[in-house]
Amino acid sequence: MAIKRLFVANRGEIALRVVKAAQALNIETVVAVSDADRESAAAKMADRAVVLGPASAAKSYLDPRLVVHAARESGCDGLHPGYGFLSERAILPRLCEDHGIAFVGPRPDVIEALGDKLQARAMASAAGVPLVPGSENIASGADARREGDRIGYPVLLKAAAGGGGRGMVIANNGDEAEAGFQRASAEAEAAFGDGTMFMERFVPEARHVEVQLMGDGQGKVLHFGERDCSVQRRYQKLIEEAPCAAMSDELRAKLHKSAIDLAASVNYRNAGTAEFLFDVQRQEFYFIEVNARIQVEHPVSEMISSFDLVQEQIRIAGGAGLSVGQDDVVLSGHAIECRINAEDAARDFAPSPGRITRWDAPTGEGIRLDSHMAEGAMIPPFYDSMVGKLIAHGKDRAEAIDRLVGAIDDFVIEGVPTTLGLQRAIATHPDFVANTIHTRWLEQVVLPQFGKDAA
Amino acid sequence: MADSALPENLRYLIEEFNRSGLRELHIRRGDFELLLSHTDHAPSAPAASRRPASPPPQQAPQAQAPAAPPPAEQIADGLPEGTVAIAAPNLGTFYRSPKPGAAPYVEVGQRIEQGAELCLIEVMKLFTTVRSEVSGTVEAVLVEDTAMVEAGQALFAVRAD
C-alpha cells in the first residue's frame, strides 16, 4: 500500500533530500531531529518535526526503539533511514515490521547477511561474481611459489592468524614469494604462534567502482550504471563520478551483470550498491561488498540516468514495484560530484563545525547542489561535517570537469573552512583530467604537494 | 570582537544560551572568563560582545562542546509566572500513572519533594521515570495522559519553594 506519511530517520542533506522526494510524491513527512537540529532545513520543510532526544546521536538518531516509537506515534506508515546512522542495522526494519511501518530499504535478513563480509563473499561466489583471486592455506615456500605462479604477480602474502599488517609481504615473482613466505611465516609464528599463510592477488593501482542497483524484492533488479569513486583520502571518498570512463563497454556490461546476479540471488529489495575493485591493467574486477542503502553519491547516477532514485525507493517501499524496465534506463553524459566537508586542510582535515556566515551557491547548466546549508546555518559539532554535494553534468567527462571547476570557482562559503579548495586542485590536476588515477593517488601524489604551492 | 573570530564552540554556547531561557551564564576556567547575560541593567556589556579576559584557546577540542542546559530550563513559554518546567528527557509516550487504572503519581496542587516521581515516559515498552528536580507545588500538568511528548517538552509546572 502506498505510503501516506513518511518518517525521515536522518539529518543533514539526506533528510532534506528525502523530504523533497516525498513531497514530489504528495506524501506527508515527519522529520526526526535531535535537540541540536531543531532548526534544520529538513525540519522546516517537513510537515512536522519531532525532537527525539538530546544532541548526542546515541540518545537520538542511533536509538532504533526511540526512532520507531516516534514514527508510530506520529502516525507514519513508512520510514526512510537515509545513509549512516541506523540505515544498515537490521533491527530498524525488524521493528518497523513489528509495528506495521514500511521500511524504505532491504529486508532485515538481507541486511544482516550482506553486512557479514564472509557471508557476502560466499553469496557473491555462489552467484558467479568474481572475487580477488586467492589461495587456500600455504604451508611451505614451495607452496607459495606454486600458488603465486597460478594467481599471477604481484601477490600479497598474509598471515592466516594475522592482523595489523604483521606478517604481510608483497611478492613480485616466484623467488620473492618463496623468500617472502619464509620471512613472513616466521614473523607470524612469533607474533601469533601460527605460521600459516595465505595469498591474494595484489592490485597496486586499483580503482573503486560500484554499481547502483534497485530491486523489487521479488527477484527483479535493475542497474542505473556504475560510479567511479577512486579519489579517496583514508578510505573517504572526495569525488565520485559516473560512468567509470576507464572501463570498456564490454567489461562494463559484465560488471552490471555481476552486480545484478548477486542482488537477484537474494531477491534484493530497494536501493543498494555493489562495490568492486577494478584492476585497470588486467581489465578485471573483483567483488568487495554490498552497501544496503542509498549512498551519499547517488546523485551522479541520477544525473546520467534522469531517474529520481529516492522517489523510486519510496514507491517500491509502498509496494508499487519497479516503475520501469532495464531498457527504460538510458544513461547519457558524464556527472561528477564533490562531497564538500567543513574541514580544515591546514590542520590535517580536522572537522571544523561552526556557523556559515556567507553562502553563495553556484547555478548554471548541468549544475546541481544537494545541501541543507544556507547563510546563517549552523554545523553542529556532534555529527559529520558534510555541508553539501556539488554535482556537475556534461555531455562528456571533459565538459563535466569544466562545469565543475567553474561551479567551484563561483561557490563562496565563509565562516568555516571546506574541502572545496582541495577538490578544485584534484579536478584540475593533469592525472585526473587524463583519468589515470587510482585509489591511492590522492594520498600519494596530490596531498604531499597540496597547500605547499600556495604557501 | 567580531562574531566570526569567536571559536566555534563559543558561538554554539551563545546560541544555546539564547535558546535556553537562562538569564545569565557565568563561566570561569583558568584565566578564561565568560559572562552571558540577558539582563538589561547588568553592569557588564551585552552578552555576545563581552570580551573574554584573555584570548580563548585557538583550537578548543570538539569534545569540549558545552553540554546543553538542562531541558527543564529550555521551556519558558506558556508557564505560569514563577514556576519551573519539568521536561521530558526524550521523546516517548507520557503516562501519569504507574499502571493503567491506578491513581496518577501527582495531582495539581500537590506538594512534592525533590526527586519525587512525577510520570513515566515509555519508548517501546521501556519505561523511564521522570522525577522532580525541585521541591515545591505542582501548579499544572501540561500534557494529556498517553500523549506523545518530545524531548525537552514541558510536562509539569512546579512552583519551587
Side-chain angles (χ1 to χ4, degrees):
Chain A
M1 202 148 73
I3 292 167
K4 293 191 183 68
R5 187 180 297 165
L6 184 68
F7 193 80
V8 184
N10 214 299
R11 63 176 306 280
E13 68 87 21
I14 193 65
L16 186 63
R17 170 85 183 85
V18 173
V19 168
K20 286 178 178 170
Q23 288 180 346
L25 296 170
N26 287 316
I27 294 171
E28 284 178 44
T29 49
V30 177
V31 167
V33 295
S34 75
D35 186 53
D37 286 333
R38 285 168 183 270
E39 308 295 322
S40 75
K44 284 176 189 156
M45 182 172 252
D47 295 287
R48 184 179 176 189
V50 294
V51 185
L52 293 175
S56 156
K59 291 174 180 169
S60 50
Y61 300 111
L62 280 172
D63 184 336
R65 284 174 180 79
L66 189 58
V67 164
V68 176
H69 188 96
R72 189 189 65 191
E73 293 301 309
S74 56
C76 292
D77 54 357
L79 182 148
H80 197 302
Y83 49 67
F85 291 125
L86 295 168
S87 60
E88 288 178 278
R89 296 264 309 276
I91 188 173
L92 190 61
R94 271 208 183 101
L95 284 171
C96 283
E97 279 176 11
D98 290 349
H99 294 278
I101 295 167
F103 179 72
V104 184
R107 287 189 310 277
D109 57 312
V110 171
I111 290 183
E112 236 155 30
L114 292 172
D116 178 322
K117 286 211 172 199
L118 284 177
Q119 219 176 320
R121 275 174 67 93
M123 285 157 63
S125 177
V129 176
L131 302 173
V132 176
S135 71
E136 302 288 317
N137 286 345
I138 292 174
S140 70
D143 277 1
R145 179 187 288 273
R146 194 182 58 248
E147 285 299 303
D149 288 351
R150 182 181 65 79
I151 291 167
Y153 297 100
V155 293
L156 184 65
L157 271 156
K158 290 182 186 172
R166 278 187 296 187
M168 266 171 55
V169 162
I170 293 167
N172 292 300
N173 52 52
D175 290 346
E176 286 185 20
E178 227 179 302
F181 171 84
Q182 308 299 359
R183 186 153 37 91
S185 181
E187 218 179 294
E189 177 76 48
F192 313 115
D194 179 357
T196 310
M197 305 294 290
F198 70 101
M199 191 183 274
E200 269 179 6
R201 179 179 289 167
F202 178 64
V203 185
E205 297 190 349
R207 298 184 78 119
H208 174 112
V209 297
E210 55 186 36
V211 180
Q212 176 65 56
L213 300 165
M214 191 75 79
D216 68 354
Q218 316 285 324
K220 183 180 169 192
V221 178
L222 303 184
H223 75 80
F224 291 78
E226 79 287 351
R227 297 185 285 260
D228 185 331
C229 315
S230 301
V231 180
Q232 300 182 5
R233 179 183 166 275
R234 295 185 185 164
Y235 302 105
Q236 299 298 308
K237 299 163 182 171
L238 270 97
I239 288 186
E240 300 106 347
E241 50 187 306
C244 171
M247 187 175 276
S248 69
D249 285 346
E250 191 191 346
L251 192 64
R252 176 176 292 124
K254 278 188 196 163
L255 178 80
H256 296 164
K257 182 176 183 304
S258 281
I260 286 178
D261 286 349
L262 171 55
S265 74
V266 294
N267 291 335
Y268 194 88
R269 183 183 78 189
N270 220 284
T273 299
E275 295 193 331
F276 298 86
L277 196 73
F278 173 30
D279 183 336
V280 182
Q281 247 176 345
R282 282 194 165 89
Q283 285 288 304
E284 285 179 23
F285 57 83
Y286 317 117
F287 172 74
I288 304 173
E289 65 177 339
V290 172
N291 293 321
R293 53 174 155 80
I294 194 79
Q295 283 188 292
V296 174
E297 61 269 32
H298 74 272
V300 289
S301 301
E302 294 185 324
M303 294 295 271
I304 62 163
S305 70
S306 302
F307 275 87
D308 187 307
L309 295 172
V310 179
Q311 286 185 28
E312 196 70 20
Q313 277 196 293
I314 297 169
R315 272 195 294 259
I316 290 170
L322 288 158
S323 66
V324 294
Q326 189 65 63
D327 291 344
D328 301 308
V329 182
V330 180
L331 307 177
S332 80
H334 197 96
I336 309 181
E337 171 183 286
C338 289
R339 219 184 261 211
I340 310 166
N341 287 318
E343 291 176 354
D344 191 347
R347 291 197 296 132
D348 197 29
F349 297 92
S352 303
R355 188 174 300 287
I356 304 272
T357 54
R358 192 168 162 208
W359 181 268
D360 286 338
T363 54
E365 202 180 344
I367 298 300
R368 163 175 168 181
L369 180 69
D370 279 23
S371 174
H372 55 304
M373 285 291 137
E375 214 150 277
M378 183 76 191
I379 306 158
F382 313 107
Y383 318 105
D384 76 67
S385 63
M386 191 165 77
V387 296
K389 304 177 303 199
L390 177 63
I391 307 113
H393 181 258
K395 64 180 186 298
D396 53 26
R397 192 167 183 270
E399 188 174 75
I401 292 175
D402 270 359
R403 287 178 172 173
L404 181 71
V405 173
I408 292 175
D409 288 342
D410 288 346
F411 210 152
V412 182
I413 304 175
E414 288 175 8
V416 295
T418 74
T419 48
L420 267 181
L422 174 61
Q423 280 148 339
R424 191 190 192 284
I426 294 167
T428 53
H429 194 288
D431 295 352
F432 183 82
V433 173
N435 204 14
T436 57
I437 61 158
H438 52 86
T439 50
R440 294 190 297 168
W441 169 79
L442 179 64
E443 289 178 341
Q444 289 177 349
V445 179
V446 181
L447 288 179
Q449 282 306 312
F450 183 66
K452 299 228 167 75
D453 304 339
Chain B
M1 179 187 268
D3 203 29
S4 60
L6 286 169
E8 297 315 328
N9 288 343
L10 205 49
R11 275 199 272 157
Y12 192 82
L13 181 61
I14 291 168
E15 182 178 74
E16 284 294 314
F17 172 76
N18 282 333
R19 282 205 325 225
S20 69
L22 287 174
R23 275 194 301 280
E24 200 162 287
L25 178 66
H26 192 180
I27 296 173
R28 195 181 298 149
R29 196 163 154 189
D31 55 0
F32 171 80
E33 188 176 354
L34 176 76
L35 174 70
L36 302 178
S37 174
H38 286 304
T39 314
D40 289 340
H41 51 78
S44 49
S49 66
R50 165 113 178 165
R51 275 171 192 277
S54 64
Q58 277 305 300
Q59 292 186 21
Q62 285 187 50
Q64 287 188 8
E73 304 188 54
Q74 291 186 2
I75 315 296
D77 302 340
L79 281 185
E81 183 80 26
T83 62
V84 296
I86 307 297
N90 53 264
L91 180 145
T93 303
F94 172 76
Y95 289 105
R96 285 193 61 192
S97 315
K99 55 188 172 201
Y105 283 105
V106 292
E107 297 286 3
V108 171
Q110 189 175 331
R111 239 212 76 79
I112 51 168
E113 297 301 319
Q114 186 182 358
E117 297 181 344
L118 300 181
C119 66
L120 297 174
I121 302 289
E122 179 245 344
V123 177
M124 294 273 152
K125 307 281 181 252
L126 187 74
F127 293 86
T128 307
T129 306
V130 177
R131 295 169 185 276
S132 180
E133 293 150 28
V134 295
S135 298
T137 309
V138 178
E139 287 272 317
V141 182
L142 304 167
V143 179
E144 292 274 310
D145 195 33
T146 74
M148 185 184 84
V149 294
E150 299 180 37
Q153 188 176 341
L155 308 172
F156 299 91
V158 176
R159 188 172 302 280
D161 293 342

